[in-house]
Amino acid sequence: MSLTNPPSSGSLSARTRVSQNLKRSLQATDDAIESRRPGGYTSKVRVRDRYHIVGFISSGTYGRVYKALGKNGKKGEFAIKKFKPDKEGETIQYTGLSQSAIREMSLCTELSHANVVQLEEIILEDKCIFMVFEYTEHDLLQIIHHHTQPQRHAIPAPMVRSILFQLLNGLLYLHTNWVLHRDLKPANILVTSSGAIRIGDLGLARLFYKPLNSLFSGDKVVVTIWYRAPELLLGSRHYTPAVDMWAVGCIFAELLSLRPIFKGEEAKMDSKKTVPFQRNQMMKIVEILGLPRKESWPGLVSMPEYSQLQSLVLHRQPSHFHRGSNLEGWYQSCLKNGGYNATSSAGTPGSDGFDLLSRMLEYDPAKRITAEEALEHPYFANGPPISGDCFAGIESKYPHRRVTQDDNDIRTGSLPGTKRSGLPDDSLMRASKRLKE
């Protein structure tokens, strides 16, 4: 319902008319939902009636993820994400779902794009929420790890190009629809067995169109540390889709080098939940990009942590802190070590690839390249057509996602965080994990 044109005065007040219109709108919505549910709300769907649980995939602070097969006429493979309620001890107390779970459910219900993970349905059973997604066989973290074993061998140039193009295509869709992802990293970029890229894990995503409060006031820490943009490290209270583009630049660099480009050590929050300045992470960025300058980044001096940045210069630091950017040297070394041809033709890492990377890793977020601009960049525009299958022409096969039988019990009592489970939380086994406030 649009309230662009307020109702005119008459026998009923404007507030009364709006209230009546809202009631009719809500009733129409309820009727539409009811018509899609055989038997209305009285029918109850149970997870095991629709899906056969194959095994356990992973767990984290939110709960656990399982691989499942559809049954009773429902075909295909699925990933079922089960959110745990706050349930501790002998007395069962449900205090509701996390903000992360609510955001992910609300956004995934609305979003629909070839390069964003597809939500199949949401099931409520025994006060637990199950989000059923399409199943993806790989993620970028797994693919990068595969290329480091048993010895390092570069990801083929056409594959890198396809991955990056599809990732940017999905990100453009999110940004066009006013959604910030805020946790882009290789582990959250999913890849189907047919080579399609899906942006996954929207637990930290949120709408950014005219927020009532600054984004910082809602979530003081966003984006996993190695992929966090400099404006976030410097304490910006207001930020833009440029934070996602910085993360994409870090992912691009990692696809080429097979290791994080800015691998800093995270300073943890204190008991008062004070957000510390991530000095080591900022140093890792400065070592490659040089110190940011207020001449090229006018908003730098207004950053809350600008004094902390100045302290990096005042204290004794390596001499290269005072030099300009060494990104091109890092890039050329990366091409050499990866066996990429330094004089490569269009469509492969080379001068076009460096220009795109440098524009993604631009200090000033206002000057950083957007997803729309990146898709028009010569790195993609020149050269052969880009395949929607990033595995196209690749002879080697990537290992399937690890699915274990250690825990394929999807019942409520099997959740981590409950005394009955006795199951470990394996989120620490990931190369990098989501940061929570």
Side-chain angles (χ1 to χ4, degrees), residues 149-323:
Q149 304 294 326
Q151 58 186 13
R152 306 182 79 83
H153 54 294
I155 301 175
M159 183 173 171
V160 173
R161 189 164 170 252
S162 174
I163 290 171
L164 196 61
F165 185 85
Q166 294 186 66
L167 170 56
L168 287 165
N169 197 38
L171 192 58
L172 174 60
Y173 169 77
L174 294 180
H175 290 173
T176 301
N177 287 281
W178 305 102
V179 176
L180 288 177
H181 188 280
R182 304 198 304 176
D183 198 17
L184 291 175
K185 57 184 177 181
N188 289 342
I189 309 303
L190 310 174
V191 188
T192 69
S193 57
S194 59
I197 300 299
R198 305 276 201 263
I199 296 175
D201 200 340
L202 277 76
L204 276 180
R206 67 160 293 169
L207 296 171
F208 64 93
Y209 178 67
K210 292 185 178 179
L212 296 176
N213 297 308
S214 73
L215 299 180
F216 177 84
S217 64
D219 301 280
K220 293 181 174 56
V221 176
V222 294
V223 189
T224 300
I225 187 72
W226 298 341
Y227 309 90
R228 195 175 300 167
E231 63 267 32
L232 295 176
L233 295 172
L234 292 173
S236 176
R237 273 27 179 188
H238 301 277
Y239 50 87
T240 69
V243 301
D244 284 342
M245 290 305 299
W246 177 276
V248 173
C250 295
I251 293 171
F252 184 20
E254 193 165 342
L255 289 171
L256 295 175
S257 66
L258 303 180
R259 56 171 62 93
I261 181 173
F262 307 124
K263 191 176 180 180
E265 295 178 6
E266 182 187 5
K268 300 295 184 181
M269 285 189 184
D270 59 24
S271 59
K272 296 181 180 179
K273 296 293 184 181
T274 303
V275 181
F277 175 60
Q278 298 293 344
R279 178 179 298 272
N280 186 262
Q281 181 64 27
M282 195 70 216
M283 286 175 59
K284 295 296 182 183
I285 295 173
V286 170
E287 285 174 3
I288 294 179
L289 299 184
L291 280 166
R293 307 286 181 183
K294 58 185 179 182
E295 293 78 15
S296 57
W297 183 1
L300 178 62
V301 294
S302 63
M303 290 292 169
E305 302 287 4
Y306 178 64
S307 60
Q308 295 279 6
L309 179 65
Q310 289 181 305
S311 72
L312 290 178
V313 183
L314 296 176
H315 291 81
R316 290 181 298 172
Q317 299 292 353
S319 59
H320 58 257
F321 268 36
H322 303 279
R323 298 200 303 262

Side-chain angles (χ1 to χ4, degrees), residues 54-87:
V54 176
F56 165 75
I57 299 175
S58 64
S59 71
T61 55
Y62 53 82
R64 303 177 79 80
V65 179
Y66 299 84
K67 180 179 180 180
L69 298 176
K71 64 180 186 179
N72 295 331
K74 195 175 189 66
K75 298 180 179 179
E77 296 180 321
F78 302 91
I80 301 181
K81 181 185 250 187
K82 181 179 184 182
F83 293 99
K84 67 175 181 180
D86 288 333
K87 176 185 175 184

